[in-house]
Amino acid sequence: MGLVTYDWKIDVLVAISTLFILLYFKIKSMYSYFEKRNIKYVKPKFLLGSEPDGLLFKIHIAESWDRVYKKLENEKYGGFYQGINPTFMIRDPEYINDILKKSFEYFPDRIFLVDEKRNPLDENVAYVKGDKWRYLRSILTPLFSLAKLKWMYEEIDKCADIFDECIKELADGKDVDMSELLARYTTDAIASCAFGIEPQCLKDPDSEFRQVGRDFYDPNKLSMFLLHLRFSIPRIMMWLKIKTISTKIQNYFLTTTKNILQQRRSTGIVRKDFIQLLLELKEKGMVELSSKNVEKSETHKGSPNKKIELTDNLLAAQTFIFYVAGYETTHYLINYTFYLLAKHKEIQDRARKEVLEVKEKYGQFTFDSLKELKFLDNCLSETLRLYTPIPFLIRECSKDYTLPDGAVIEKGMNILIPIYSIHRDPKYFPQPLEYKPDRFENPPANGTYLPFGDGPRVCLGKGFSEAVARRVLARSLEMYEFELSPLNKCMDAIKPNPRVVIATPLHGLLLRIRKRKDSK
């Protein structure tokens, strides 16, 4: 009688096979979420979701979700899958306005999960949730008021003066891509206004602060893929303890902020910048300004009873988000606007006429005089409509929410608001691909124009970004004329880089700059 041998490999194979079968049916069950609830949705491809081309970097993520938007045409909302995760897409402006403002209590948080011990820079006002967000928002909002922005404008103006000197070298009628120069300008403006660091990038393209920006937004790095995953599978990313900010960048911001705070405390130096406001906020519980033209103090009224210690790391996290939220978005806002004004000579001439009238009236470009450039502001608004820096909003439902038609968005469900698609929908913006600044003579309907978001989580840096853009555009239009390079004239549309979440052009925007004959 022969012996029966035991092969443990068979048991392992059976166990693995069983696990995969269970996983397969679990995913198939998740993919039936919308069907079970009789909600129209875009069918997914297994593991890859409803529109995988964005996740695979074949097209930009906004274009990928635009396909979903169009497949759900005539629906106020619908479903799709990011990978295996069911997500509501809200298409109707009234629903969007309700979610962002009227029913904000149901959707107060973004989907980021924060581990401040491993990733201290994540503990910023854009990422955190709940009481911590409410507290940070309540104390930071006054720091971005019109009065504080006016207080910091002197630093913006200094950086713009250096930019004015640099652009002279480009005004020779040759093809030029202004992206790098504008990136250095906005980096200097943020470094100066946020950290109190003297402008260096415009004079030194290889300065440390500029290199940090290149490293953070390098579209060829693994970090961009990880950032995509952070939007689609945040809990798995947290469980795996995967960082989306490199240790090098993290250490740079933490060290730089702490060194500046220590220097200010030890020397008593006072400078008109964001970090000074944070320092006063931490040490006095309020912000005091010496300017005669602004209020003397602001307290953080409405803060929750739960107090949160304002550590140096927490302050560093706020300066970090000031940088990353403002640097790339602002420099591309200006770059796209230069390009569109060069493409549309008649609009450029109208903007210049307004700039020259304001300059003649006031003699210089002050914070207040620049706010009279209404048509230029319309040009910036139209640029933001066409090339919205962040082309979507994602929120997490905090408690069951009933839509007007009776459908329920369950607690924990993610919702996506497709800003890119709404901005290009002819129902809300006729001839949506045309550059028409006059559309903004009247305010757009609620829920149709969201370049900075809306409601309590609207972007705090909106005014700063606009001030930085307005100043450099006004001076440049006064001094120079812009036209498209012949290499760009064949471009009907700007192709976005699929590897970057922010609306970044895949190819350079080439211009030709000439000094105006009657400029001084």
Side-chain angles (χ1 to χ4, degrees):
M1 184 176 179
L3 295 173
V4 178
T5 59
Y6 172 74
D7 191 347
W8 60 270
K9 295 179 183 178
I10 295 176
D11 285 350
V12 171
L13 182 60
V14 170
I16 292 174
S17 299
T18 302
L19 180 63
F20 273 105
I21 291 170
L22 292 173
L23 185 61
Y24 171 80
F25 282 105
K26 173 64 176 176
I27 293 172
K28 289 288 286 184
S29 175
M30 293 177 70
Y31 280 156
S32 66
Y33 181 89
F34 293 110
E35 187 175 4
K36 289 177 179 177
R37 290 159 178 80
N38 198 29
I39 294 171
K40 186 173 179 180
Y41 70 103
V42 179
K43 293 183 178 179
K45 295 180 180 178
F46 192 72
L47 293 181
L48 297 177
S50 299
E51 275 295 340
D53 285 352
L55 183 63
L56 298 175
F57 301 127
K58 292 182 180 179
I59 60 175
H60 193 272
I61 192 68
E63 295 177 311
S64 179
W65 286 337
D66 190 52
R67 293 177 179 177
V68 174
Y69 182 85
K70 288 171 179 172
K71 289 176 181 177
L72 296 171
E73 190 174 4
N74 299 323
E75 300 292 327
K76 293 181 181 294
Y77 61 88
F80 75 105
Y81 292 87
Q82 298 183 71
I84 62 174
N85 292 326
T87 303
F88 271 84
M89 176 178 283
I90 309 299
R91 300 179 78 262
D92 183 79
E94 290 186 16
Y95 283 28
I96 290 170
N97 189 59
D98 186 65
I99 284 170
L100 294 180
K101 293 167 28 177
K102 296 178 184 176
S103 299
F104 176 77
E105 62 180 295
Y106 292 86
F107 305 94
D109 296 325
R110 296 189 172 112
I111 64 172
F112 293 111
L113 297 177
V114 174
D115 179 357
E116 62 270 18
K117 292 182 180 179
R118 286 180 55 83
N119 306 296
L121 295 183
D122 281 357
E123 199 179 14
N124 63 70
V125 69
Y127 290 5
V128 295
K129 300 180 179 183
D131 284 344
K132 184 168 287 189
W133 171 76
R134 292 182 184 89
Y135 178 68
L136 285 175
R137 183 78 181 195
S138 69
I139 63 173
L140 291 177
T141 296
L143 306 193
F144 288 89
S145 68
L146 192 64
K148 304 303 186 298
L149 185 57
K150 184 175 180 179
W151 185 70
M152 288 191 285
Y153 178 74
E154 182 181 324
E155 302 302 325
I156 296 173
D157 196 44
K158 287 178 184 176
C159 297
D161 284 342
I162 301 172
F163 177 89
D164 296 341
E165 293 299 316
C166 293
I167 199 174
K168 287 180 182 179
E169 300 175 10
L170 305 178
D172 56 7
K174 297 179 182 179
D175 293 344
V176 59
D177 182 352
M178 294 184 66
S179 179
E180 173 59 24
L181 181 62
L182 289 168
R184 284 153 48 195
Y185 163 60
T186 54
T187 301
D188 272 355
I190 293 172
S192 182
C193 291
F195 294 88
I197 298 174
E198 288 298 323
Q200 298 174 13
C201 299
L202 282 164
K203 299 175 182 178
D204 179 11
D206 297 318
S207 68
E208 188 176 16
F209 214 85
R210 177 70 187 104
Q211 190 56 51
V212 168
R214 289 194 186 103
D215 289 344
F216 186 82
Y217 282 105
D218 186 345
N220 298 312
K221 287 195 171 184
L222 175 64
S223 59
M224 298 313 300
F225 178 68
L226 296 178
L227 187 59
H228 276 282
L229 293 182
R230 187 164 188 178
F231 282 111
S232 56
I233 50 171
R235 287 176 175 80
I236 294 176
M237 294 288 284
M238 174 70 80
W239 180 69
L240 293 174
K241 298 182 178 180
I242 296 175
K243 289 187 174 185
T244 52
I245 301 171
S246 72
T247 300
K248 176 184 175 182
I249 292 174
Q250 178 173 291
N251 290 341
Y252 177 82
F253 277 97
L254 292 174
T255 302
T256 300
T257 303
K258 288 180 180 179
N259 287 344
I260 294 170
L261 289 170
Q262 184 177 358
Q263 182 190 41
R264 299 281 176 94
R265 291 176 182 126
S266 62
T267 63
I269 292 175
V270 176
R271 200 174 184 275
K272 293 183 177 181
D273 54 36
F274 182 63
I275 211 164
Q276 183 67 37
L277 299 177
L278 290 176
L279 182 62
E280 292 181 12
L281 185 64
K282 178 180 179 179
E283 297 188 348
K284 300 179 183 179
M286 63 181 66
V287 178
E288 294 182 353
L289 303 176
S290 59
S291 171
K292 296 179 181 179
N293 298 320
V294 298
E295 68 273 29
K296 292 295 180 184
S297 67
E298 286 183 1
T299 59
H300 41 275
K301 296 178 181 178
S303 302
N305 292 329
K306 181 180 178 181
K307 297 299 180 183
I308 297 167
E309 184 183 359
L310 288 174
T311 64
D312 286 357
N313 275 3
L314 190 60
L315 299 185
Q318 311 322 308
T319 58
F320 167 75
I321 201 63
F322 191 125
Y323 176 76
V324 299
Y327 153 70
E328 195 84 341
T329 56
T330 305
H331 111 249
Y332 277 117
L333 166 61
I334 305 170
N335 200 23
Y336 282 127
T337 303
F338 272 128
Y339 172 84
L340 291 165
L341 292 177
K343 187 175 182 179
H344 301 276
K345 184 67 164 54
E346 71 287 356
I347 295 176
Q348 182 184 156
D349 289 342
R350 280 183 64 188
R352 180 178 296 107
K353 181 175 181 293
E354 180 185 58
V355 164
L356 294 175
E357 288 171 353
V358 167
K359 180 65 179 294
E360 183 177 2
K361 180 178 177 181
Y362 292 96
Q364 59 183 326
F365 294 123
T366 64
F367 180 82
D368 290 326
S369 68
L370 287 172
K371 290 187 70 64
E372 293 193 15
L373 297 174
K374 302 302 183 185
F375 183 70
L376 183 60
D377 279 350
N378 289 347
C379 291
L380 289 169
S381 295
E382 179 69 341
T383 299
L384 287 167
R385 183 191 67 80
L386 274 170
Y387 302 107
T388 305
I390 306 297
F392 56 87
L393 298 175
I394 299 182
R395 296 287 188 269
E396 182 180 14
C397 185
S398 64
K399 52 186 177 180
D400 289 357
Y401 173 77
T402 303
L403 292 161
D405 66 356
V408 175
I409 300 178
E410 296 173 336
K411 179 180 178 180
M413 176 63 63
N414 292 341
I415 65 142
L416 182 136
I417 296 171
I419 299 175
Y420 173 93
S421 301
I422 292 167
H423 283 189
R424 291 168 177 246
D425 192 324
K427 286 190 296 186
Y428 315 121
F429 299 98
Q431 297 178 292
L433 300 183
E434 295 295 320
Y435 186 63
K436 295 177 175 289
D438 285 332
R439 319 176 187 268
F440 289 91
E441 281 298 306
N442 297 307
N446 286 336
T448 63
Y449 183 67
L450 304 163
F452 296 100
D454 204 353
R457 285 202 92 129
V458 69
C459 177
L460 282 173
K462 175 180 182 292
F464 177 84
S465 179
E466 291 172 339
V468 170
R470 198 182 288 126
R471 166 59 180 84
V472 79
L473 283 165
R475 178 63 173 168
S476 297
L477 286 169
E478 178 197 12
M479 299 299 295
Y480 306 104
E481 292 184 349
F482 300 85
E483 62 184 57
L484 290 188
S485 160
L487 298 176
N488 270 341
K489 287 184 177 178
C490 61
M491 292 172 56
D492 293 328
I494 300 171
K495 191 72 176 172
N497 190 333
R499 294 183 176 274
V500 183
V501 174
I502 289 175
T504 304
L506 183 60
H507 305 294
L509 306 179
L510 297 178
L511 307 179
R512 290 182 175 179
I513 307 171
R514 291 184 173 86
K515 187 173 176 62
R516 293 182 58 244
K517 293 180 181 178
D518 56 348
S519 63
K520 297 180 182 179

